[in-house]
C-alpha cells in the first residue's frame, strides 16, 4: 500500500497520512495561495484587524450549534494544554467557519492574545483575518503552521499558529483545533501534537454517532490497537459502509468518497451475516483479517446487535477477533441516515452552505428544536422543502422514529382520506384485506410531513384539524379512535392567506400548522450558488472524480432565473454529467438546446456556439421545448474517446433498458422530454421503444 498519499475525506485533495505533515514545497504553495485569497477578499497587509466584541448572542448561538464538537473537544484541549503549558501559548477551538468557541492559555500570553482577538466569539476565518493557521487550515482542509511573517496582516506577524481541521464522522469539516503562541517560542513538534489531538477528537465522536453500528478497530501491528493511530471503520448491521476515520482511510488505501461504494464484505473478506456467530463466545484476543488490498491487519470488533439475528438477545455487545474468509462483494451502500438519540450535532448543519437567508432559517429552527412546535415551510416549487423537513426530523429527539411524507397534491381526492387516516377491512369497495393504518398512524412517535398542504381538499381539512387538536385518529369504518403522537411539518408554494380570504383554506387549520413559519429562498436569490452546484456534482459523480463547470457556463448559470429551482438545476446537471464523463468539465457543448434558447430569449446568452445554432435551425418548429433536453449537436464532439452523440444515445438506451422500454419513465429519469427520445428512435434499438 502507498504509505504516502491518499485523498482527503471532504474535498478530494491529496493529503499525506494522518501522522505526516506537508512538505516544505507544498507548505509554501499553501501560504502563497492563501495570500492571494486574502488579497482577493479586499484585505491589505496594513489593515487593523477588527477586534470589536461580537454581537450579542453570536457566541451562545455558536456554542449551541457546535455542542457536539465542544463536548468531545474540551477534554482533549485540556490534555493538549497540559503538554504546552508555560510555553507562552494558548489552545483554541473554532467552528467550521473560524469562530473561536473556547480557549485555554498561559496567563502571560493572554494579555497579548486579547489584543489580537484570540478570544471566544472572534472570527479567524481568512475572509476576516487573512492568512492565519485557523482560517487557512479550514480553507485548505489541511493541518499547517503559519509562522511569523507568513501571516498576511502585519498585526499578526508576532504570532506562530499551528492548526488542524477536525472532520466529523461523515467526512465534513466541523471545526478546527489550534495552538497559537509568540513566534519566538515556536516549537517544530507543536503541529504534530495538534494533528494528533484533532484525530483524538474525531475518534471520540464515533461511539456517539453510531451507537448501534458494527465498529472495526484495526491496525497492521496489534500493539497499536486501542491507541490513537488505530483505524476505525463503521458499518450498518447489514454491512453497508457508514464511516471511517483518517487512519482507517490511510490503511485501507481509499478516500472517504470511494469507501461509500463498499461494504464490510468487499473490504474485509468476511460475510457480515456470519459476524455475530463468529464473534459470540470468542476470546477477546485480536486476530487477523486480510483487507481487499492484500494488507493483513489485526482487529477487534464491537457489535451492537438489535434484533438482527433472532438467536441472540437484543442489545448484546460483544468484542472479539475474527478469522479471514474469502471476500464476497455486495451491492453499494444506500444513502447515509443519521440515527441515534445521542447524536448532538445537527443534520441542519449540512444544509447551511453560506447563504444568509438559509442560515437565518436554520437558526430559527434550532431555537424551537425539541419544543413540539409545528413548522410550516414556504417556498417555490423545487427549493428543497422536503430536504429541510427531513433535516428537521433528523435534528430532533424523534430522529430514530419514522419520518412519513405525504404529498397532498399527488394523491387523488378520492384516496387521500384513506391514505391519511387509514381504514378497516371492508370499509369500501377495493379496500385491501386487513385494512390500512394510514400515514398519520405510520408516523406515530415520529414526524409527519404534509407536503403541498395548500392542495388538501377542503372537506379533509376539518378532519386533519381535529386530529392535530385531539391527537387521535379514527380510521374509516373503524368506529373507534386511536391515540397518535406526531410532530407536524407542513410545506406549500401557495399563498395560504390568500386562500383563506377566498375560503379555500381553513383559517383555524392554518394557525394550528404555523407555529413557526420559515421561507426557503429561490435558487436565483441564493448567494451560495457555486457551492450548491459543486455539492450536486459531487453527489452525481457517485464516488468518481467530480465533474467541473467552465467559467463561461457558471457565469450563465448565475444569470439565469431558474424557475424550476434545485429540481431544474439537478436535472440539467445530471444530463450534463452523463454526457461529459467522469472528471471532465461542463462547457457550452453540454447544455441542452432548449436551455440555450431560453437564455437567448432572456438575452442572457449573447451568442450561441455555431454547432448549436445549426441544430436549432433544423429543429422541428412546432415542437414544444421540453423542461430539460439532451442536446443534438450538428458537429460531433469527442468526449473521453467517444463522440458526444454516442454518449447521449448510450444514456437513452441505458435508461430505456432500465425502465423496460417505458419512454415516459426513461425521459423523466434523464430529465428530458419524450419527444427528445422519439426524435432519436431511428438511432436506438427498435426493441427498446414501447
Amino acid at each position: 500500500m502507498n504509505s504516502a498519499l491518499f485523498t482527503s475525506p471532504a474535498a478530494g485533495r491529496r493529503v499525506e497520512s494522518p501522522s505526516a505533515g506537508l512538505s516544505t514545497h507544498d507548505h509554501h504553495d499553501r501560504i502563497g495561495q492563501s495570500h492571494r485569497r486574502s488579497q482577493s477578499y479586499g484585505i491589505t497587509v496594513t489593515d487593523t484587524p477588527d477586534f470589536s466584541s461580537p454581537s450579542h448572542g453570536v457566541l451562545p448561538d455558536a456554542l449551541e450549534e457546535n455542542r457536539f464538537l465542544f463536548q468531545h473537544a474540551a477534554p482533549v484541549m485540556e490534555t493538549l494544554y497540559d503538554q504546552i503549558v508555560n510555553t507562552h501559548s494558548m489552545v483554541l477551538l473554532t467552528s467550521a467557519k473560524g469562530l473561536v468557541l473556547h480557549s485555554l492559555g498561559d496567563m502571560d500570553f493572554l494579555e497579548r492574545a486579547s489584543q489580537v482577538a484570540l478570544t471566544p466569539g472572534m472570527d479567524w476565518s481568512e475572509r476576516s483575518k487573512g492568512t492565519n493557521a485557523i482560517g487557512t487550515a479550514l480553507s485548505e482542509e489541511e493541518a499547517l503552521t503559519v509562522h511569523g511573517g507568513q501571516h498576511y496582516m502585519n498585526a499578526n506577524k508576532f504570532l506562530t499558529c499551528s492548526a488542524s481541521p477536525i472532520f466529523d464522522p461523515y467526512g465534513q469539516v466541523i471545526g478546527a483545533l489550534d495552538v497559537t503562541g509568540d513566534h519566538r517560542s515556536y516549537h517544530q513538534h507543536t503541529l504534530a501534537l495538534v494533528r494528533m489531538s484533532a484525530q483524538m477528537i474525531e475518534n471520540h465522536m464515533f461511539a456517539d454517532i453510531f451507537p448501534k453500528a458494527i465498529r472495526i478497530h484495526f491496525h497492521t501491528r496489534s500493539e497499536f490497537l486501542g491507541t490513537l493511530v488505530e483505524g476505525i471503520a463503521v458499518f450498518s448491521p447489514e454491512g453497508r459502509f457508514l464511516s471511517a476515520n483518517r487512519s482507517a482511510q490511510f490503511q485501507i488505501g481509499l478516500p472517504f468518497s470511494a469507501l461509500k461504494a463498499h461494504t464490510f464484505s468487499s473490504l474485509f473478506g468476511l460475510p457480515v451475516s456470519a459476524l455475530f456467530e463468529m464473534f459470540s463466545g470468542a476470546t477477546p484476543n485480536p486476530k487477523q483479517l486480510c483487507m481487499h488490498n492484500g494488507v493483513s491487519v489485526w482487529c477487534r470488533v464491537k457489535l451492537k446487535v438489535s434484533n438482527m439475528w433472532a438467536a441472540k438477545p437484543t442489545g448484546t455487545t460483544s468484542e472479539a477477533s475474527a478469522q479471514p474468509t474469502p471476500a464476497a462483494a455486495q451491492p453499494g451502500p444506500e444513502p447515509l441516515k443519521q440515527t441515534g438519540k445521542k447524536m448532538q450535532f445537527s443534520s441542519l448543519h449540512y444544509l447551511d452552505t453560506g447563504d444568509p437567508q438559509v442560515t437565518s432559517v436554520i437558526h430559527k429552527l434550532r431555537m424551537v428544536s425539541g419544543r413540539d412546535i409545528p413548522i410550516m415551510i414556504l417556498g417555490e416549487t423545487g427549493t428543497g422543502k422536503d430536504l429541510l423537513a427531513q433535516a428537521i426530523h433528523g435534528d430532533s429527539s424523534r430522529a430514530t422514529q419514522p419520518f412519513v411524507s405525504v404529498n397532498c397534491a399527488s394523491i387523488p381526492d378520492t384516496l387521500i382520506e384513506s391514505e391519511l387516516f387509514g381504514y378497516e377491512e371492508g370499509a369500501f369497495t377495493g379496500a385491501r384485506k386487513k385494512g390500512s393504518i394510514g400515514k398519520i398512524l405510520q408516523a406515530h412517535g415520529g414526524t409527519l410531513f404534509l407536503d403541498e398542504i395548500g392542495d388538501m381538499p377542503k372537506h379533509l381539512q376539518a378532519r386533519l384539524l381535529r386530529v392535530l387538536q385531539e391527537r387521535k385518529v379514527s380510521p374509516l369504518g373503524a368506529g373507534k379512535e386511536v391515540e397518535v403522537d406526531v410532530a407536524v411539518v407542513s410545506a406549500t408554494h401557495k399563498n395560504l392567506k390568500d386562500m383563506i380570504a377566498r375560503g379555500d383554506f381553513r383559517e383555524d387549520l392554518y394557525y394550528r400548522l404555523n407555529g413557526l413559519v420559515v421561507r426557503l429562498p429561490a435558487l436565483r436569490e441564493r448567494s451560495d450558488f457555486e457551492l450548491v452546484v459543486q455539492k450536486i456534482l459531487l453527489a452525481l459523480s457517485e464516488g468518481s472524480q467530480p465533474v467541473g463547470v467552465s467559467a463561461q457556463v457558471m457565469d450563465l448559470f448565475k444569470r439565469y432565473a431558474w424557475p424550476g429551482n434545485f429540481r431544474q438545476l439537478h436535472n440539467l446537471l445530471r444530463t450534463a454529467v452523463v454526457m461529459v464523463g467522469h472528471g471532465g468539465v461542463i462547457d457550452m457543448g453540454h447544455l441542452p438546446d432548449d436551455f440555450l434558447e431560453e437564455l437567448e430569449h432572456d438575452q442572457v446568452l449573447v451568442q450561441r456556439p455555431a454547432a448549436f445554432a445549426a441544430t436549432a435551425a433544423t429543429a422541428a418548429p412546432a415542437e414544444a421545448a421540453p423542461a430539460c433536453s439532451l442536446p443534438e449537436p450538428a458537429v460531433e464532439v469527442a468526449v473521453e474517446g467517444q463522440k458526444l452523440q454516442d454518449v447521449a444515445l448510450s444514456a437513452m438506451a441505458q435508461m430505456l433498458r432500465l425502465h423496460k422500454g417505458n419512454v415516459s419513465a426513461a425521459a423523466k429519469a434523464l430529465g428530458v422530454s419524450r419527444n427528445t427520445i422519439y426524435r432519436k428512435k431511428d438511432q436506438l434499438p427498435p426493441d427498446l421503444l414501447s
Side-chain angles (χ1 to χ4, degrees), residues 216-232 251 284-288 297-301 319-321:
I216 315 296
H217 298 248
F218 63 95
H219 198 277
T220 53
R221 294 170 60 179
S222 60
E223 62 267 30
F224 287 136
L225 290 177
T227 71
L228 178 64
V229 297
E230 71 175 358
I232 304 175
Q251 292 186 66
N285 297 327
K287 293 187 179 179
Q288 287 183 292
V297 292
W298 295 90
C299 78
R300 285 195 177 98
V301 179
E319 180 177 328
S321 42

Side-chain angles (χ1 to χ4, degrees), residues 72-278:
H72 291 86
V76 178
M77 290 179 69
E78 296 280 356
T79 302
L80 177 59
Y81 177 63
D82 288 342
Q83 295 174 286
I84 65 165
V85 69
N86 298 324
T87 61
H88 310 286
S89 303
M90 62 190 309
V91 181
L92 299 108
L93 176 71
T94 79
S95 70
K97 296 179 180 179
L99 188 80
V100 178
L101 302 172
H102 184 48
S103 63
L104 299 170
D106 289 344
M107 294 303 297
D108 60 351
F109 185 69
L110 285 177
E111 184 176 349
R112 297 193 72 186
S114 64
Q115 294 173 6
V116 289
L118 283 167
T119 52
M122 293 300 180
D123 181 3
W124 275 84
S125 65
E126 279 189 335
R127 287 183 178 273
S128 174
K129 302 294 190 294
T131 304
N132 71 91
I134 293 170
T136 304
L138 289 171
S139 295
E140 295 287 341
E141 297 189 355
E142 301 276 5
L144 50 77
T145 294
V146 176
H147 180 51
Q150 293 175 341
H151 287 85
Y152 186 75
M153 300 176 71
N154 291 337
N156 296 329
K157 290 184 177 179
F158 77 94
L159 300 171
T160 288
C161 315
S162 299
S164 173
I166 301 169
F167 292 93
D168 69 28
Y170 294 97
Q172 303 294 320
V173 173
I174 193 175
L177 186 66
D178 171 81
V179 169
T180 290
D182 191 298
H183 73 286
R184 292 168 297 184
S185 38
Y186 164 65
H187 197 288
Q188 61 180 347
H189 297 308
T190 302
L191 182 60
L193 286 173
V194 173
R195 290 174 65 96
M196 288 190 294
S197 298
Q199 192 172 352
M200 189 179 300
I201 295 170
E202 293 170 0
N203 289 354
H204 286 175
M205 295 180 185
F206 276 82
D208 276 355
I209 294 297
F210 306 109
K212 298 181 180 179
I214 299 170
R215 295 206 310 276
I216 315 296
H217 298 248
F218 63 95
H219 198 277
T220 53
R221 294 170 60 179
S222 60
E223 62 267 30
F224 287 136
L225 290 177
T227 71
L228 178 64
V229 297
E230 71 175 358
I232 304 175
V234 186
F235 302 87
S236 74
E238 299 78 27
R240 291 178 284 112
F241 172 82
L242 296 178
S243 188
N245 69 355
R246 285 191 270 179
S247 178
Q249 294 170 47
F250 176 69
Q251 292 186 66
I252 294 172
L254 293 173
F256 194 95
S257 57
L259 283 169
K260 289 193 288 187
H262 279 272
T263 64
F264 172 76
S265 297
S266 65
L267 290 172
F268 286 92
L270 182 70
V272 73
S273 60
L275 266 182
F276 187 85
E277 293 179 8
M278 296 189 69

